[in-house]
Amino acid sequence: GVRDVLFLYEENRCSMTYMYEYPEYLKIKLPKKIARRYPAYELYLYGEGNYAEENKNLLLTGIPVLFLPGNAGSYKQVRSLGSIALRKAEDVDFKYHFNFFSVNFNEELVALYGGSLQRQTKFVHECIKVILKLYRDREFAPSSVAIVGHSMGGLVARALLTLKNFKPELINLLITQATPHVAPVMPLDKYLTDFYTAVNNHWILKAQDLRNLTTLSVAGGFRDYQVRSGLAFLPRLSQHDSALSVVSSAVPRAWASTDHLSIVWCKELILATIRAFFDLIDENTRQITEDPKKRMSVLSHHFVRHPAKTFEENPEAFTELTGAFTWITVKASKWTYSVYNDSDGKYFAFPLASHRKSYSHVYCENSMLDTSSWIYGCMNTNSLPCLEAADLSWRAELLPTTKVVMLKLQDYPSLSHIVIQVPPAVGNKYTLGCEFFKEDSRTVQLPVTHLFSFGLSSSKILLNSTGLLYSVQLQHFNQIYQAFKIYIESHCQSLKERKPSVYRLHIPWSHEDSIIVAKVPSLAEISAKLHIAQPHNDSSLPELNIYSSPDCQYEVSNTVLFYSCYPFILVFQIVRFHAGAFPVYIVSNILLTYGGQLSTLRSTGQCSDFSLELVRTAKPYKVEPLISIVVFLQGFNWFREIWESLSLPEVDAAVLSSQDAWFPLVSLILFLFGTGIAYWSGVFFSTSLRLFSSLWLTLIRPTVLQKDKLITPRRLCGMISLALVSWTTCGACAVLIIYLQYLVKPVPVFVTFVFLFQGSGHSKETSQNSSTHTVKAQSSVDNVPEATESPSNSTAAAEAVNSLKMHITILNLFTWIVLLSLPSLIYWLKNLRYNVRLDPDPCRSTAIILVCILEILMNSSTSEVKSSKLLKIAAKVPLPLSVAMLAFGRMHLYRVPHFVTFSLLLHVLCCIV
């Protein structure tokens, strides 16, 4: 599954964007008050060559565009947009041009730490006001700024509208690139999830107030494994008429999936964006148009359906067919024509009266990819030529090697002829074709692989092509957990040179099509996976459109990605959609094992092995049924009212179901993944302990550990010191320090255990037994034997073994807390020169509690816990905590340390009480 997500995707089909002159970044001087408030942030103006020199005095006359970088992004990423926009402005002699500004966010890791998102949003607001002041008293001064946001920069742009003093009219166009709009990729702290909730709720509740803002979200497709495209689709309840979400693989003239960084410099996408910018200009104001309908028309033209014509706001409905062209009537239902060095222009006219009864549709294609009109409809003309005709070229669609148009004859009752224009082609070679057909004869249904198929499952159809177009409807393909391959094999009767075939997987409920161009004959492969599931109110079917070569056969088949049963078919999509939830399931397994060890310690007086206890206690049926029951009951109003009255958060599985990101058995498979990873993490700690202990044993002769008080003045000073570190600097830093202290604690315990067996003066038989025991102990901590030798050594060794096993489990738990807190530590270290104290700090309070707990636990032993009155409670609490963790932690990873901390706190109380 990981291999599929990280490596098994299409090759990079993007071209690199190059600068023709040396790029320069002019730093904009901010007001002193703003500079002091945001010392780490800066604003720049992009320029090249003479253009950069001219703008050094900041006498700007262009259209302002502000670029916002994303997580760890650089302000210099604006250069692709700025450079191509400059070249485009040169083409129109600077009649219109754009000034591209960029914000330096100091490459902050805002996808992992949400504490600075609000600060970034406020700084962008100040930047917009500074930018607009630069144009004050200029002719055609702008009143708004267009924004392009990459990754988290797009979310910051959307968050501007949540600010109390922000005027929505300051931005009228927002383009986001690979921005996770729906939810954070890794919800590692409360500030991040709260920020998302505030932004999305505002956009849903205030949708009517945002109608003047046009938003385009471009996702990267399957190459972007950092932000899956389903997260980049704007929330469905936001304004439908002024928001558009597309995947880069469906963008006309790009047709390429991009990774998370290449979406910023992909030449094909950047060209589409800059063309759209120039088409958005109002000639009267020389700024981006204030008409929302025109903005949506332009974006749809360049990012959804391109008719292979230059954008026109109000194209002429009728066109005069003039010129000394020869008129030729074509009565056949299928027609192809090749043009090469044709010096005479021609009009081919297809009378519709003879075809209306026999056929339902007409399809035409043209391999000349210019932007001129080429297909017309004559209005009720009995004789030819017709002097005036409707321009049907606007109904066409551009594909990689051809432009096509399909018309339903019933929708055009007033047309008497379809006319194809073939202009003189000196030195050009291209082909045209038209055919009339019944829709049923060209539409084939292909059942996709069934969800519960066992073994290799596939379906096949054979298309004996006599036409130019086929549509294969994929039945029952509507959920994100479905994943299979589509193979299209073409066979041709002759070996003559043919135009390549175009295969398009069309998803009708979202703009996520994928297009493949294949030579004929060939075997093509299409990976069929969805970014978002089919909405409940949509009954349309996905289609595989085959733009074929005449006289060729096409065999279409779909095959399951795995040769095994249903749970393994899900692995690919589970990793893609739910890899971020792995830590929750891993910690849940470890927590269940920890509770089992405490229970065994209470009943037998011995602490069981981690691996054996993991197998015995980490069972999905202990946790999953209760969560499923709660999710089911939340469908009833009475239960939901009771739930809300208790101020309980919504179960994460219910939220994922509402987002169509939850599918059958996913939680079970994630739990099994968690079990496996928890097991191997235990093996890793055991192996590491053995290696460190061997090194320790060669350097230091161990002595019997002396029992000491749990709390001593020295340890108390250590607690206070680390608590101060947490409070004054960064909580994650204190957590890491106490973790490193705890990390070396089991080593002397383990060495002492080995030494007790090796150094005792027993009989030969005892020596042999102890030698055997030592080998076992060194091979695996989980298989350390119970000491049954002389009373003194045996008791000490047994206590060492039990304490060692408990320490290893606690260390395993604590490791995941450290990993989940590392992002805020990295952020703090990166910004240490600006502020010693991380504010806000998501780990501060938890870190102070953990420091106190672990300072006591690392010096504790199981002998204190055995006799505790609270052991029974401490052994039973991990099970409900594991259930709560899976219920409320899948979309809120920052809650995981809270559950673990509570369980460890009970352990500390057991050592004391």
Side-chain angles (χ1 to χ4, degrees), residues 367-405:
S367 64
M368 172 64 82
L369 301 182
D370 60 358
T371 58
S372 59
S373 297
W374 60 283
I375 182 169
Y376 305 90
C378 291
M379 311 290 291
N380 295 323
T381 302
N382 295 322
S383 61
L384 296 175
C386 64
L387 300 179
E388 190 176 63
D391 189 351
L392 300 178
S393 303
W394 292 102
R395 301 283 186 270
E397 182 175 12
L398 181 65
L399 294 175
T401 60
T402 185
K403 49 189 178 183
V404 301
V405 61

Side-chain angles (χ1 to χ4, degrees), residues 518-814:
K519 294 181 180 179
V520 179
S522 67
L523 176 64
E525 176 187 293
I526 299 176
S527 181
K529 290 173 284 192
L530 295 175
H531 295 294
I532 61 172
Q534 185 177 27
H536 299 295
N537 58 352
D538 194 315
S539 59
S540 55
L541 293 176
E543 287 185 343
L544 174 64
N545 301 132
I546 300 176
Y547 301 91
S548 58
S549 293
D551 305 321
C552 291
Q553 284 187 339
Y554 292 83
E555 184 178 284
V556 183
S557 62
N558 72 83
T559 307
V560 172
L561 286 177
F562 258 112
Y563 283 72
S564 192
C565 59
Y566 161 71
F568 294 99
I569 300 173
L570 296 179
V571 170
F572 296 155
Q573 297 297 74
I574 286 176
V575 173
R576 188 181 308 280
F577 282 83
H578 299 286
F582 280 173
V584 182
Y585 286 88
I586 297 166
V587 176
S588 177
N589 274 274
I590 300 173
L591 199 57
L592 287 172
T593 306
Y594 169 69
Q597 287 180 313
L598 290 178
S599 180
T600 306
L601 183 65
R602 175 176 170 270
S603 59
T604 65
Q606 302 293 329
C607 185
S608 55
D609 299 333
F610 178 84
S611 59
L612 295 177
E613 198 61 45
L614 179 69
V615 173
R616 189 179 72 85
T617 58
K619 303 294 184 183
Y621 59 75
K622 292 183 178 181
V623 294
E624 292 299 335
L626 183 58
I627 298 174
S628 300
I629 291 171
V630 172
V631 172
F632 173 76
L633 290 176
Q634 281 194 331
F636 299 97
N637 291 330
W638 61 268
F639 185 83
R640 197 158 51 244
E641 291 174 0
I642 296 173
W643 191 269
E644 292 173 356
S645 66
L646 296 174
S647 299
L648 292 172
E650 192 171 3
V651 177
D652 288 349
V655 178
L656 290 168
S657 296
S658 66
Q659 297 174 358
D660 296 320
W662 200 247
F663 38 87
L665 298 184
V666 62
S667 190
L668 173 62
I669 297 174
L670 286 171
F671 192 93
L672 296 178
F673 285 170
T675 306
I677 298 173
Y679 173 83
W680 287 108
S681 66
V683 171
F684 170 77
F685 278 114
S686 303
T687 307
S688 301
L689 179 62
R690 184 173 73 249
L691 294 175
F692 282 121
S693 299
S694 300
L695 180 62
W696 188 287
L697 194 59
T698 59
L699 298 177
I700 302 173
R701 180 177 175 83
T703 58
V704 177
L705 293 178
Q706 300 294 326
K707 292 195 67 172
D708 201 354
K709 291 182 179 180
L710 289 175
I711 303 177
T712 63
R714 182 179 177 183
R715 290 168 193 162
L716 193 59
C717 289
M719 287 184 202
I720 296 173
S721 300
L722 288 178
L724 286 174
V725 169
S726 176
W727 185 259
T728 57
T729 58
C730 172
C733 180
V735 169
L736 181 62
I737 293 171
I738 195 71
Y739 173 73
L740 294 175
Q741 290 181 12
Y742 204 139
L743 198 61
V744 298
K745 181 62 183 178
V747 175
V749 178
F750 183 79
V751 172
T752 299
F753 164 68
V754 175
F755 177 72
L756 287 172
F757 280 104
Q758 287 181 333
S760 59
H762 296 314
S763 63
K764 184 177 180 180
E765 181 181 357
T766 304
S767 297
Q768 291 175 347
N769 287 337
S770 66
S771 177
T772 303
H773 287 317
T774 301
V775 171
K776 289 183 180 180
Q778 290 177 332
S779 64
S780 174
V781 173
D782 291 340
N783 294 317
V784 284
E786 310 301 335
T788 56
E789 307 299 334
S790 63
S792 58
N793 282 352
S794 175
T795 304
E799 184 177 334
V801 170
N802 291 328
S803 298
L804 179 66
K805 292 176 181 177
M806 190 57 67
H807 282 309
I808 290 298
T809 305
I810 294 174
L811 192 60
N812 209 342
L813 275 174
F814 192 36

Side-chain angles (χ1 to χ4, degrees), residues 386-608:
C386 64
L387 300 179
E388 190 176 63
D391 189 351
L392 300 178
S393 303
W394 292 102
R395 301 283 186 270
E397 182 175 12
L398 181 65
L399 294 175
T401 60
T402 185
K403 49 189 178 183
V404 301
V405 61
M406 186 169 68
L407 305 174
K408 188 176 182 180
L409 297 179
Q410 186 179 348
D411 295 340
Y412 300 89
S414 59
L415 295 186
S416 61
H417 292 77
I418 296 291
V419 178
I420 302 294
Q421 180 183 15
V422 181
V426 179
N428 292 328
K429 182 179 181 181
Y430 61 97
T431 59
L432 301 99
C434 283
E435 66 172 341
F436 294 85
F437 62 89
K438 278 188 175 181
E439 185 178 20
D440 295 343
S441 65
R442 298 299 173 84
T443 303
V444 183
Q445 292 187 337
L446 178 68
V448 304
T449 304
H450 194 269
L451 186 62
F452 293 99
S453 299
F454 289 86
L456 178 63
S457 176
S458 64
S459 304
K460 285 187 180 182
I461 57 171
L462 184 64
L463 306 176
N464 289 311
S465 176
T466 57
L468 303 175
L469 172 68
Y470 272 94
S471 293
V472 180
Q473 294 181 340
L474 303 176
Q475 294 178 306
H476 316 299
F477 180 39
N478 51 21
Q479 298 297 330
I480 59 173
Y481 51 73
Q482 294 173 285
F484 54 92
K485 300 280 189 184
I486 298 177
Y487 296 98
I488 307 174
E489 188 172 5
S490 56
H491 306 276
C492 300
Q493 296 177 357
S494 61
L495 297 178
K496 67 177 183 179
E497 183 181 353
R498 301 173 184 274
K499 68 180 184 70
S501 294
V502 178
Y503 308 131
R504 176 170 68 174
L505 181 60
H506 174 58
I507 310 300
W509 57 81
S510 64
H511 304 296
E512 56 176 283
D513 295 4
S514 55
I515 295 179
I516 288 181
V517 179
K519 294 181 180 179
V520 179
S522 67
L523 176 64
E525 176 187 293
I526 299 176
S527 181
K529 290 173 284 192
L530 295 175
H531 295 294
I532 61 172
Q534 185 177 27
H536 299 295
N537 58 352
D538 194 315
S539 59
S540 55
L541 293 176
E543 287 185 343
L544 174 64
N545 301 132
I546 300 176
Y547 301 91
S548 58
S549 293
D551 305 321
C552 291
Q553 284 187 339
Y554 292 83
E555 184 178 284
V556 183
S557 62
N558 72 83
T559 307
V560 172
L561 286 177
F562 258 112
Y563 283 72
S564 192
C565 59
Y566 161 71
F568 294 99
I569 300 173
L570 296 179
V571 170
F572 296 155
Q573 297 297 74
I574 286 176
V575 173
R576 188 181 308 280
F577 282 83
H578 299 286
F582 280 173
V584 182
Y585 286 88
I586 297 166
V587 176
S588 177
N589 274 274
I590 300 173
L591 199 57
L592 287 172
T593 306
Y594 169 69
Q597 287 180 313
L598 290 178
S599 180
T600 306
L601 183 65
R602 175 176 170 270
S603 59
T604 65
Q606 302 293 329
C607 185
S608 55

Side-chain angles (χ1 to χ4, degrees), residues 146-165:
I147 295 181
V148 178
H150 173 240
S151 187
M152 295 298 288
L155 188 71
V156 168
R158 289 180 62 211
L160 285 167
L161 297 157
T162 65
L163 298 177
K164 291 182 180 179
N165 57 344

Side-chain angles (χ1 to χ4, degrees), residues 291-307:
D291 184 1
K293 290 185 178 179
K294 180 182 177 180
R295 293 198 297 259
M296 281 302 295
S297 297
V298 171
L299 295 180
S300 297
H301 177 93
H302 289 282
F303 288 90
V304 179
R305 184 185 178 95
H306 198 297

Side-chain angles (χ1 to χ4, degrees), residues 147-200:
I147 295 181
V148 178
H150 173 240
S151 187
M152 295 298 288
L155 188 71
V156 168
R158 289 180 62 211
L160 285 167
L161 297 157
T162 65
L163 298 177
K164 291 182 180 179
N165 57 344
F166 183 79
K167 298 177 181 179
E169 58 268 19
L170 290 180
I171 53 174
N172 58 10
L173 177 65
L174 169 60
I175 298 177
T176 66
Q177 303 169 325
T179 296
H181 291 293
V182 177
V185 177
M186 292 291 287
L188 291 170
D189 64 60
K190 190 175 187 296
Y191 308 113
L192 189 58
T193 56
D194 287 351
F195 189 82
Y196 265 91
T197 302
V199 172
N200 286 331

